Amino acid sequence: MRQLHMFWGQVRGALHRLMRQTKPMGRPLTTSILILATVAQFGCASLPVLTPPPGEAVLKVAVTSGRFAPTFDTVMGPAKGASGGALKGAVMGLGGLIFAPFTVPLGLVIGATMAEPSAKIEERETAAREIVTAQRIQENIRDRVVAVGRAKTPHAFIALANRGPSTISERPDYRPLSQEGIQTVLEVVADRVKLHGNMIRLDPALQMVMFVNWRLVRTADNAEIYSASLPYIDFQNRGVWTLARWVNDPEIFRSELDRAYTGIAEMIVRLAFVQPESK
């Protein structure tokens, strides 16, 4: 517990120093990258150094992905109908505690009156889910990891289709790959994608969040070398688009997912294969 406290103390100090040194327009992106990096680094403190086997010039790494679509949810999104609007209106009314006896009832009325019908919001949520499902997220993350691995390391990265888990809990047998000269499997699986809003807006801007699980597996005996979860949050575009805008302009989804692919791929490759010399 003491080490954890010291770790986050160092993180807060580094963030504070960087925020003072960074130009205002660059702060959101820099902060998002730092948060992603510190979460991953803390989770991977005991990650082993991976090297080619004796007699081999490079490590052969097969990259697999999930054979299922990640779940999709809208969290604290637009108020649904009069009841949802009344609830959000009441929460907004609590902002001024002194005047709460007046602002909460007023918020209830305004929220119930101004909220869009539940059917319309649910229709947009369904459209968003369909857009996300059509993006081939698992395959795109796998291919981005392969591209980044080839560019950033001397190892041989190979994309393997239809070899990853078909459910979030499945642990495939990768031992047959050892007969093909592949020593390690990097399994990268997108678990969840969310559009996250807040409780103090009837129609809040939504931020995309993605959760990815990844594992390193030794093919000789199918032993798990390491596993971790990686949350990706892009603070650069926090609070920009409402659900209606996300749905009406599918290019927003494609752009934000593409940014996530790169951020996740670069972080995993760096942590697993481009470690500091001190390690």
Side-chain angles (χ1 to χ4, degrees):
M1 184 63 70
R2 176 180 174 82
Q3 291 178 338
L4 181 61
H5 177 75
M6 293 175 62
F7 170 80
W8 284 115
Q10 293 172 352
V11 170
R12 287 192 295 269
L15 283 172
H16 179 69
R17 290 192 298 272
L18 186 65
M19 291 293 285
R20 288 187 300 174
Q21 297 170 1
T22 308
K23 294 180 181 180
M25 289 299 291
R27 286 180 182 175
L29 178 58
T30 305
T31 305
S32 70
I33 293 173
L34 264 179
I35 291 175
L36 178 62
T38 51
V39 168
Q41 285 174 336
F42 184 77
C44 298
S46 59
L47 188 64
V49 176
L50 298 176
T51 57
E56 297 287 342
V58 298
L59 185 70
K60 295 181 181 178
V61 182
V63 183
T64 64
S65 59
R67 289 183 287 160
F68 59 92
T71 62
F72 174 81
D73 294 298
T74 301
V75 181
M76 289 190 286
K80 295 182 179 180
S83 59
L87 175 60
K88 282 206 169 191
V91 172
M92 289 187 287
L94 289 173
L97 294 178
I98 297 178
F99 302 102
F102 305 98
T103 56
V104 169
L106 180 61
L108 284 168
V109 174
I110 294 175
T113 302
M114 298 185 64
E116 292 190 279
S118 297
K120 180 177 291 187
I121 302 303
E122 290 170 358
E123 180 181 341
R124 289 174 183 162
E125 290 178 341
T126 298
R129 183 174 292 105
E130 291 173 350
I131 292 172
V132 170
T133 301
Q135 298 307 305
R136 298 178 66 251
I137 290 175
Q138 306 285 20
E139 295 89 341
N140 287 330
I141 290 181
R142 178 200 64 207
D143 294 343
R144 191 63 52 87
V145 169
V146 169
V148 171
R150 291 173 177 173
K152 302 288 187 180
T153 80
H155 304 309
F157 280 75
I158 305 165
L160 285 186
N162 301 319
R163 297 297 290 267
S166 57
T167 66
I168 194 64
S169 60
E170 184 184 2
R171 296 293 180 263
D173 185 358
Y174 294 117
R175 287 177 296 180
L177 295 175
S178 64
Q179 303 302 316
E180 302 176 26
I182 295 172
Q183 296 93 25
T184 305
V185 170
L186 172 55
E187 185 183 275
V188 183
V189 179
D191 180 11
R192 290 169 288 161
V193 177
K194 294 184 178 183
L195 291 182
H196 209 291
N198 61 64
M199 281 294 296
I200 59 173
R201 295 288 186 274
L202 289 178
D203 190 12
L206 304 175
Q207 178 184 19
M208 194 187 76
V209 181
M210 185 184 295
F211 298 87
V212 174
N213 300 322
W214 62 282
R215 302 194 304 140
L216 287 169
V217 181
R218 186 170 57 230
T219 59
D221 54 4
N222 211 48
E224 186 176 277
I225 302 172
Y226 194 82
S227 65
S229 295
L230 179 66
Y232 177 87
I233 306 173
D234 186 357
F235 287 101
Q236 185 181 31
N237 290 327
R238 182 177 184 179
V240 177
W241 301 294
T242 62
L243 179 60
R245 179 70 185 280
W246 279 93
V247 170
N248 292 332
D249 187 359
E251 184 59 33
I252 293 176
F253 267 114
R254 287 189 284 269
S255 176
E256 290 304 292
L257 286 169
D258 188 72
R259 189 194 305 273
Y261 302 150
T262 298
I264 291 167
E266 290 185 346
M267 184 57 58
I268 291 176
V269 168
R270 186 176 68 81
L271 289 169
F273 302 100
V274 190
Q275 300 184 15
E277 294 181 2
S278 59
K279 293 186 179 181

